[in-house]
Amino acid sequence: KLAFLHLPQRRGSRGPAPLMGVGDGDAVSLERLRDSPPVGAMPTFQGGSQEEALVGVAQRCTLDEPVSETIMRDLRSVAQKLMYVMMPVNVADRGRRLRDWDLWGPLLLCLALGLILSWQAADSTQASYAFADIFVTVWVGSGVVTLNAVLLRGKVSFFQTVCVLGYCIFPLVLSAFCSMLLHIDWLKLLFVLAGLGWSAKASLGFVTELVPEDKKLLGIYPVWLFYCAIAWMILLA
């Protein structure tokens, strides 16, 4: 058998396109040419069909989703991480769940704490100082704690550590908010101490897994110092 294929005619040439003979023993056949995907089509990966590959790509692609859906997904992720900080679960399990890092939650908590302390200031100048102090303390302190873990030869991801330390200030933010509402000194002290203990404990499950076993105390000490500095600023507000 002999089949003939029309080759595309070149621009500027005259006459009909030439014919190319294709025999039974050739590598290219009419059936293979007919069933072959067009140029630029999605490749088929090993272990699945082309339809399965398209479904997997569609599930992972978020470029075409509405902005409201993206915002709601991020808010649900932030709320879920805050629940992991506040829930009395296993410390190691809490640290494992916080490894899917993002910086939206720490940013919102830092802004909330800065606004709470600035509202309690005597004037606008003191308010701006209080907000700036909290903002610098949270982000610079997180960087210093991460640097300390790096010097201890721990397995550290910078943004992941900043994420965990930022989310774990949530109990202190709640303490500052309750203290602002009640205006009772001894209750404020109790709230801040409880928030300090909860924040430090919530971050231990992650920090203790970063540093070697024989250097855990050196890795935990800066974390406690970091949260003690934030708690002291809340007490002074």
Side-chain angles (χ1 to χ4, degrees):
K1 297 178 182 180
L2 186 64
F4 294 91
L5 299 177
H6 283 278
L7 294 178
Q9 184 175 3
R10 297 182 178 179
R11 183 178 297 179
S13 60
R14 299 180 179 178
L19 299 177
M20 181 183 68
V22 181
D24 288 338
D26 294 335
V28 180
S29 64
L30 289 175
E31 289 79 8
R32 291 183 60 186
L33 289 176
R34 188 185 307 113
D35 297 335
S36 61
V39 178
M42 180 65 65
T44 302
F45 297 94
Q46 185 178 2
S49 62
Q50 183 173 350
E51 290 78 8
E52 294 175 353
L54 289 172
V55 171
V57 171
Q59 291 177 349
R60 293 190 300 268
C61 182
T62 58
L63 295 178
D64 296 333
E65 69 178 7
V67 177
S68 58
E69 184 176 349
T70 304
I71 295 176
M72 292 304 300
R73 186 181 66 249
D74 293 338
L75 291 178
R76 285 192 297 267
S77 176
V78 170
Q80 188 178 25
K81 291 183 176 65
L82 293 178
M83 289 179 59
Y84 290 151
V85 172
M86 298 301 297
M87 285 171 53
V89 296
N90 187 15
V91 175
D93 182 63
R94 185 190 294 116
R96 192 179 304 114
R97 292 169 189 257
L98 290 175
R99 287 180 178 176
D100 185 16
W101 63 269
D102 67 84
L103 297 180
W104 288 113
L107 178 61
L108 294 176
L109 293 175
C110 180
L111 294 176
L113 184 57
L115 290 175
I116 291 173
L117 297 186
S118 62
W119 284 336
Q120 303 179 59
D123 50 27
S124 58
T125 303
Q126 294 296 327
S128 60
Y129 286 157
F131 185 87
D133 289 343
I134 282 294
F135 197 87
V136 172
T137 302
V138 170
W139 295 107
V140 175
S142 301
V144 171
V145 173
T146 305
L147 180 61
N148 176 74
V150 171
L151 295 177
L152 294 176
R153 297 185 179 182
K155 301 177 181 179
V156 178
S157 172
F158 179 79
F159 292 108
Q160 193 177 42
T161 308
V162 171
C163 168
V164 173
L165 296 175
Y167 271 105
C168 289
I169 68 172
F170 182 55
L172 286 171
V173 176
L174 292 180
S175 301
F177 181 73
C178 294
S179 302
M180 181 187 66
L181 295 180
L182 297 178
H183 295 287
I184 302 176
D185 293 338
W186 64 273
L187 278 180
K188 181 177 183 179
L189 179 61
L190 291 180
F191 286 148
V192 173
L193 290 178
L196 172 61
W198 203 295
S199 295
K201 183 180 179 181
S203 61
L204 290 182
F206 179 80
V207 176
T208 52
E209 295 182 1
L210 295 179
V211 297
E213 186 70 24
D214 56 340
K215 299 179 180 179
K216 282 188 175 181
L217 291 178
L218 295 177
I220 294 174
Y221 170 72
V223 177
W224 279 91
L225 190 62
F226 170 67
Y227 291 117
C228 284
I230 298 176
W232 183 251
M233 296 176 67
I234 296 175
L235 286 175
L236 294 180

